[in-house]
């Protein structure tokens, strides 16, 4: 097993993610791995037959609460794990996640690797009145501090994208996690991705609250960043750099590019334990 720090900023911080080769593990064993490794998520990697000359790997993602259909920062962590094991300067693979197949790439840069992959379409819609009425009060955001452009977005499971007026408002948030979980469970939402308005250069600060999957606050949430990139792409902002994890003492940065229905995600990762060799 390796622990990969996904989406590090300037070589430090990032979201610690357990990555290991898959095996004949049961559901309970998989759910225990994040706790044993001291991470919020675990990724299980299995290799299949090559396709078009590239190795093919299937990924499964777990938290202590159970399996997730997809996990963006877990996918980035898996790419770093595979690159470290391959030992090549540039490593290209094909990834399979929840019935979707897409390319992944890693370029080693000293102790880190720059990794990235492409997402398919992101589903976006306006929230209905019940979603707004149940979720927003749990976040403790004053109405005057709420930005414009509230959306529900999905790349597998829906989550609420919540804009606020400034990074200071974002940093001061202290959600009622019990009420937030109850609201998200009732509505079938993964959680809330709260972000401050982007700077002219596309720099964004964000926080992801997902108590329904056992992660009160995520250090780096790439799936939600892809959702944000798709949303901002509709407003003419085609690339963003998103800073997360500062409130948790683990600074993280994710990069995203929107081009029509496709969103590309990237970040730097650091493998801190040697991977198991095949």
């Amino acid at each position: 097993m390796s622990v990969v720090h996904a989406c590090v900023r300037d070589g430090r911080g990032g979201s610690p993610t357990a990555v290991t080769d898959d095996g004949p593990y049961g559901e309970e064993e998989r759910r225990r791995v994040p706790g044993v490794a001291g991470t919020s998520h675990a990724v299980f990697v299995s290799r299949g037959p090559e396709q078009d000359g590239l190795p093919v790997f299937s990924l499964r993602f777990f938290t202590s609460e159970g399996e997730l259909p997809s996990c963006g920062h877990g996918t980035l962590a898996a790419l770093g794990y595979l690159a470290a094991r391959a030992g090549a300067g540039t490593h290209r693979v094909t990834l399979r996640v929840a019935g979707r197949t897409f390319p992944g790439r890693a370029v080693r840069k000293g102790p880190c690797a720059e990794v990235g992959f492409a997402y398919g379409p992101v589903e976006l819609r306006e929230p209905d009145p019940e979603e707004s009425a149940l979720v927003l009060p749990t976040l403790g955001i004053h109405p005057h501090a709420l930005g414009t452009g509230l959306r529900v977005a999905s790349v597998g499971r829906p989550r609420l994208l919540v804009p606020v007026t400034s990074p200071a408002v974002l940093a001061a948030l202290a959600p009622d996690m019990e009420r937030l979980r109850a609201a998200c469970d009732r509505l079938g939402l993964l959680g809330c991705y709260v972000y401050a308005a982007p700077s002219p250069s596309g720099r964004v600060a964000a926080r992801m609250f997902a108590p329904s999957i056992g992660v009160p606050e995520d250090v780096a949430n790439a799936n939600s960043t892809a959702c944000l990139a798709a949303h901002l792409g509709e407003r003419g902002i085609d690339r963003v750099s998103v800073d997360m994890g500062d409130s948790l003492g683990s600074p993280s940065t994710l990069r995203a590019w929107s081009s029509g229905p496709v969103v590309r995600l990237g970040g730097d990762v650091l493998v801190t334990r040697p991977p198991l060799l095949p």
Side-chain angles (χ1 to χ4, degrees):
M1 180 189 299
S2 293
V3 172
V4 182
H5 293 256
C7 310
V8 297
R9 188 189 308 163
D10 299 325
R12 64 188 184 91
S15 180
T17 306
V19 188
T20 187
D21 290 340
D22 208 347
Y25 307 123
E27 170 89 7
E28 291 300 318
E29 291 176 289
R30 296 175 190 274
R31 290 172 59 181
R32 282 199 298 268
V33 169
V36 170
T39 65
S40 60
H41 296 67
V43 187
F44 295 84
V45 179
S46 59
R47 180 164 184 166
E50 286 195 2
Q51 179 178 307
D52 299 326
L54 292 178
V56 177
F57 295 92
S58 296
L59 307 180
R60 295 181 67 185
F61 310 97
F62 281 80
T63 70
S64 60
E65 296 284 329
E67 186 166 11
L68 303 176
S70 64
C71 176
H73 83 265
T75 301
L76 296 172
L79 284 168
Y81 170 85
L82 293 170
R85 188 167 66 178
T90 300
H91 190 55
R92 299 177 186 272
V93 299
T94 296
L95 299 175
R96 287 181 178 156
V97 176
R100 296 172 51 234
T101 301
F102 49 90
R105 179 174 180 266
V107 179
R108 297 183 67 187
K109 304 171 91 174
C112 295
E114 181 180 350
V115 299
F117 65 96
Y119 258 115
V122 174
E123 298 176 12
L124 292 164
R125 64 172 175 83
E126 300 296 324
D128 63 43
E130 183 183 28
E131 289 169 325
S132 299
L134 285 177
V135 174
L136 292 181
T138 73
L139 298 173
I141 301 172
H142 191 279
H144 293 302
L146 186 65
T148 59
L150 196 69
R151 304 295 295 275
V152 175
S154 177
V155 288
R157 288 181 65 179
R159 80 272 341 261
L160 192 63
L161 305 182
V162 181
V164 294
T165 53
S166 72
V169 171
L170 180 73
L173 288 181
D176 184 326
M177 290 298 174
E178 186 173 333
R179 291 176 60 209
L180 176 59
R181 176 167 188 159
C184 289
D185 287 349
R186 175 173 170 177
L187 298 166
L189 296 175
L190 176 72
C192 287
Y193 184 82
V194 188
Y195 65 97
S199 70
S201 66
R203 198 84 184 193
V204 180
R207 296 172 70 182
M208 177 64 182
F209 306 108
S212 289
I213 61 170
V215 184
E217 182 171 353
D218 209 353
V219 172
N221 193 287
N223 279 3
S224 296
T225 298
C227 291
L228 177 66
H231 167 59
L232 294 178
E234 293 182 347
R235 300 183 168 197
I237 302 173
D238 61 1
R239 61 180 59 205
V240 292
S241 293
V242 178
D243 293 332
M244 302 186 71
D246 295 276
S247 60
L248 300 173
S250 189
S252 306
T253 299
L254 305 98
R255 299 182 288 274
W257 303 261
S258 176
S259 177
V262 176
V263 175
R264 286 185 51 81
L265 275 171
D268 294 340
V269 302
L270 177 65
V271 181
T272 57
R273 296 180 189 171
L276 297 173
L277 296 177

